[in-house]
Amino acid sequence: MASPVSLKNTAVPTLSHYAVLATAGVILVSHFAVDVYSGIVPALLGVIEAQYAMPREWAAILLGVGSICSGLAQPLFAWISDRANSRIFGALGLLIGAVAISFIGYVSEGWMVFVVYAIGMIGIGMFHPVAVSTIGRLAGQKRSMAISLFFVFGMAGITSGSLIGPWIASGGGTLRDLSLLCIPGILMVALLQFAIGRIDHNPQLRRKDGQGSSGYDIRSIAILYVASALRFLVNMAFVYLLLRWLQHHVAAANPQWSIQQVADYAADLNGRQLATMTIGMAIGGLTAGWSIKQGSERLPLILVPLLFSPAIFALSRLQPGTAALVMCFLSGAGFASMVPVSVSVAQRMMPYHTSLASGLMLGGAWSIACLGPSLAQWLISSIGLPGAMTAVGCILATSGLVTIGIRSDSISDSAGDSE
């Protein structure tokens, strides 16, 4: 097995220390902004489902469409960015995502929701690999810390979207009122392009012994990808299960309510659940990125999913309330703590293709999450809601077990590499 390639430490020669901090700040804020839009539709799924009279299977597919469009866009545009030596897809993706998601309430037919949502999620997917590879380039040896901060800002954006969307669209307004949200996103576009457009995408770095991609440990990278894909699958399945779990309890407590009344009431509560889950994802990612030493990531990749999977089992036995929110928090930490760690490891394992590495571990793995909602609905129909939650928890545990196959030296040998 080929050993990982090695890179000489490099800095960003054209930027001062303060310019690096300012550029990183713009990237972090833009990540917050773009993920506000990605958090809106999942939080409003019940409202969209009721307004457009969608069958539950369609609603599950809608979430899946978002995942696959965002997911497949990431490695595709990451590869194009690496080839073209350009950062333009970061700003362009933010623009597309902001406009499409903000105006999703203006469509007149259910099938058009799928089209507009797909376009918006493609834009959001375009943004991510460019932004995260840039901040990894700026950070150098502090790559894991920087990527964990990047991750946290994204989770904060999703949390905000999960709260803002229902507040605007079901708290006295309509889906059309979401259009106001396009304004801050558009303002960020020009600022982002100005900040990152001047940073070399593929700097000419010294290669050791002339090694390139042929020196990559493909087996370990593939295992890291499979583990990431399983965690993202759990993520989206859990989002869908949360909605059905809450709607079940709301309908049981208010049998006289219509489907629309249940959907509207559950939307606000579901936004809180998703926000709590996302806070768990953010804190888990930040803690992992800042506490796990570079080169020693293999054991946490194995243990964290195993230790946190029981939280999903426990939620199905609870009623809505504080205890359930705690399980949402722990579940989010379980399937998301290792996201920034995986991205950092992948960038170090593929130092000459960091956008592609980022795209694979984020979008490429995220595209598998398109199966999550439909899998969750199939499990509910087959074995009931408690059984479905138990099965999804087992998938999370499996994502930890598969990483046993990652070569320890592939992680440790890459610990000194930076873009």
Side-chain angles (χ1 to χ4, degrees), residues 4-39:
V5 294
S6 179
L7 240 65
K8 179 182 179 180
N9 272 345
T10 58
V12 182
T14 58
L15 297 179
S16 68
H17 173 70
Y18 295 106
V20 167
L21 291 178
T23 303
V26 171
I27 296 171
L28 294 175
V29 174
S30 65
H31 190 208
F32 171 87
V34 79
D35 274 350
V36 166
Y37 302 106
S38 67

Side-chain angles (χ1 to χ4, degrees), residues 37-63:
Y37 302 106
S38 67
I40 289 173
V41 170
L44 288 172
L45 184 62
V47 174
I48 293 171
E49 181 182 55
Q51 179 168 321
Y52 293 98
M54 289 184 182
R56 289 195 166 189
E57 291 76 13
W58 281 32
I61 293 171
L62 180 63
L63 283 183

Side-chain angles (χ1 to χ4, degrees), residues 131-146:
V132 74
S133 67
T134 307
I135 204 164
R137 161 112 169 96
L138 292 170
Q141 291 296 316
K142 297 181 179 179
R143 185 188 301 271
S144 292
M145 293 183 185

Side-chain angles (χ1 to χ4, degrees), residues 251 254-264:
N254 303 278
Q256 74 281 7
W257 281 9
S258 67
I259 293 176
Q260 183 68 59
Q261 287 175 310
V262 170
D264 286 341

